[in-house]
Structure formats: structure tokens, C-alpha cells
Amino acid sequence: LTDFKHFTGKVSEEKQTETFEKGDLKVEISLEPFDRKGRKLIYQEDEYGGRYLVTIDGLPYWGTDGAVPADQYRKITLQKGGKTTTVPDEALKNLFNPGLYPGNTTVTINPKDDAIYITSFNSDGAGGYLVGFVFEDGKFKSRAVLSPF
């Protein structure tokens, strides 16, 4: 990805969004507070009697190190050539504490095959992860998540 053209967005802390625009391409990322209501949080007890979060809604999660998340993705939308694509909720549901500050998230374009990559380093401080979303031909293709530690 480092060989391809990439750009950063403009953050609106008030709206909790980051917007990337280049030619006919527009990417908008929006966040919202994590809402416990209707969620299934499973805890485990450690050897000292403390509790830590192990799954959210039956899934392992990214973005914290055993604590309840503060924020989550609300929506990621890509507009290109008059077409709009949204990252499916399924691809966002266990990603928490996205970093909404300039330079944290980048959009990269591969001009050879028109692929678009959105990458972001997210964390509450201890639960860091890197996420990448891939779009091809204006459609969402995949998501990859890894821990850089």
C-alpha cells in the first residue's frame, strides 16, 4: 500500500466524522458512542477476583483490553462515479474505539485496478489493532484486522 497514492481526511469532532475527498471519490467514516443496551457482554474472572470483558454479542472484539468500549463505527460510506457503497454492518460489529484524529486513517488508491483501501489504527490505548477495508470496482470486498503487537 505504501507504493500507492494515499490521502488523509478532514475530521469533524462535533459530528464525529472523518471525510476524505479526491476527484469523484468521497469516503465518509462516522462514529457513535458504544451503547450497552441490547448487547450481550460476557465477562471472565481473573485469578485476583477482577473481571474483564471477553466477548461482545458472542464475538471476540477489537479495541480494548478487557474494558467496555467507548465508541464504535456507525457507518463507512464510499462514493465514486455516482455509485455509493456502504461497509456492511457485519464487517463493523466487533471493531471498537476507532481513532478519529487527523492522519490516523488513510485512504489509498491503486490506479492499476481501481482498488481502494481504507486503513486505520484503532485503540483505547492497550487494545490496539489495525483494520483494513478493501473495495474493488466500487464494491466492498473484504476486511482484515490484526494486532501490531
Side-chain angles (χ1 to χ4, degrees), residues 99-117:
L100 188 66
Y101 51 89
N104 182 63
T105 300
T106 60
V107 174
T108 306
I109 302 168
N110 179 349
K112 291 181 182 176
D113 63 7
D114 203 30
I116 298 167
Y117 307 91

Side-chain angles (χ1 to χ4, degrees), residues 34-99:
F34 177 76
D35 185 3
R36 290 176 161 214
K37 191 175 185 178
R39 308 300 285 270
K40 186 175 182 182
L41 306 178
I42 302 296
Y43 292 87
Q44 190 167 355
E45 193 170 302
D46 66 23
E47 62 210 54
Y48 306 106
R51 289 178 2 135
Y52 60 95
L53 188 60
V54 290
T55 63
I56 299 174
D57 299 331
L59 297 171
Y61 60 92
W62 297 89
T64 81
D65 193 17
V68 175
D71 300 302
Q72 63 190 24
Y73 285 107
R74 183 168 59 83
K75 190 189 308 189
I76 299 176
T77 304
L78 180 135
Q79 296 174 353
K80 183 165 173 51
K83 293 171 62 177
T84 300
T85 303
T86 302
V87 173
D89 290 341
E90 191 71 25
L92 300 175
K93 69 193 275 180
N94 66 340
L95 304 176
F96 300 104
N97 296 325

Side-chain angles (χ1 to χ4, degrees), residues 1-7 106-111 113 115-120 130-136 144 146:
L1 291 179
T2 58
D3 291 342
F4 303 135
K5 190 175 202 172
H6 66 278
F7 55 102
T106 60
V107 174
T108 306
I109 302 168
N110 179 349
D113 63 7
I116 298 167
Y117 307 91
I118 301 170
T119 56
S120 187
L130 184 65
V131 62
F133 301 98
V134 180
F135 295 83
E136 288 182 351
L146 63 93

